[in-house]
Amino acid sequence: MGEQTLMRGLSFIAQDGQITCITGPSGSGKTALIRTLMGFLPVGEGFVSVDGELLTVRSASAFRQMMIYLPQNMQTLRHQLYEPVFTVADDPEYGVWDTQLPDVEDEKSAEVLSHEEIFSLAEKTLIEGKDKPFVIADEPAAMLTPEFAERILLLLQEQARAGKTVVIASRIPNIIASAEKVIEVKSE
């Protein structure tokens, strides 16, 4: 499969204690940028650094242990609403990301989460990551009613007030307006 350039000339610094919002039309690359910031996608030209340390696909595992992640589809975290049947503590990467990924059987039989369950899951994820300095949220309010979208925004603002670096991908106007820094991405 050939390489594809998703963005050019993008440069920004996400500050501690602030919300940085990545916005743009559907398909513009917001989620791809989030995945790049998490080290899941490589950077062809330029770089991503975290606190002055270069983030690469190889070093990303260590950085992801410092991140709280709220995916666009919170449905994938539904199993966190229930008590775990087993734990694996041997591999730190597995320990961090296994809780983020659904079991294949759970995914097949899963009912759609209610707005309240999605909010509760986001709140639980943020509470469990209270010692992590970075919050990455990909369209956290996209599947919510305006009331729950506002509550998610309040949770994310609370994270920023606690001194965390909060990066949100969103097209929702009040989330964009709440950010101290807005990065607009456009389709090429």
Side-chain angles (χ1 to χ4, degrees):
M1 196 154 145
E3 291 183 18
Q4 180 182 5
T5 300
L6 299 175
M7 291 176 209
R8 292 184 198 283
L10 180 63
S11 177
F12 68 93
I13 296 173
Q15 299 287 336
D16 295 345
Q18 293 185 352
I19 293 176
T20 299
C21 184
I22 301 164
T23 191
S26 182
S28 63
K30 294 181 300 296
T31 296
L33 181 54
I34 291 289
R35 290 178 181 159
T36 301
L37 294 175
M38 294 177 70
F40 287 117
L41 294 176
V43 176
E45 294 178 18
F47 63 94
V48 174
S49 69
V50 179
D51 287 340
E53 298 290 325
L54 191 62
L55 178 102
T56 66
V57 173
R58 288 187 180 169
S59 67
S61 169
F63 288 114
R64 284 193 294 267
Q65 292 180 42
M66 300 185 313
M67 296 177 187
I68 300 170
Y69 175 54
L70 300 179
Q72 185 171 5
N73 183 0
M74 290 294 286
Q75 200 72 15
T76 61
L77 302 182
R78 73 175 300 111
H79 60 287
Q80 290 186 30
L81 290 171
Y82 315 105
E83 291 299 314
V85 178
F86 66 92
T87 60
V88 176
D90 297 333
D91 180 0
E93 178 81 355
Y94 181 85
V96 170
W97 296 101
D98 180 57
T99 61
Q100 303 286 324
L101 303 171
D103 182 281
V104 174
E105 294 304 314
D106 290 342
E107 189 69 18
K108 287 180 185 175
S109 64
E111 292 180 21
V112 175
L113 293 175
S114 70
H115 299 285
E116 187 171 357
E117 288 173 316
I118 291 171
F119 174 80
S120 294
L121 191 48
E123 183 176 45
K124 180 181 182 203
T125 302
L126 291 168
I127 289 169
E128 288 175 354
K130 67 179 184 250
D131 297 329
K132 296 182 179 192
F134 304 104
V135 178
I136 309 287
D138 189 2
E139 297 282 3
M143 306 278 220
L144 297 174
T145 63
E147 174 196 349
F148 280 106
E150 187 62 31
R151 290 174 67 185
I152 286 278
L153 176 57
L154 291 173
L155 287 177
L156 293 168
Q157 288 172 326
E158 186 178 298
Q159 296 293 305
R161 280 192 302 277
K164 296 182 181 190
T165 301
V166 179
V167 178
I168 306 170
S170 183
R171 294 181 295 152
I172 297 177
N174 65 329
I175 291 179
I176 297 166
S178 74
E180 285 81 9
K181 182 177 289 183
V182 177
I183 310 301
E184 188 168 350
V185 294
K186 299 176 180 153
S187 301
E188 290 220 353

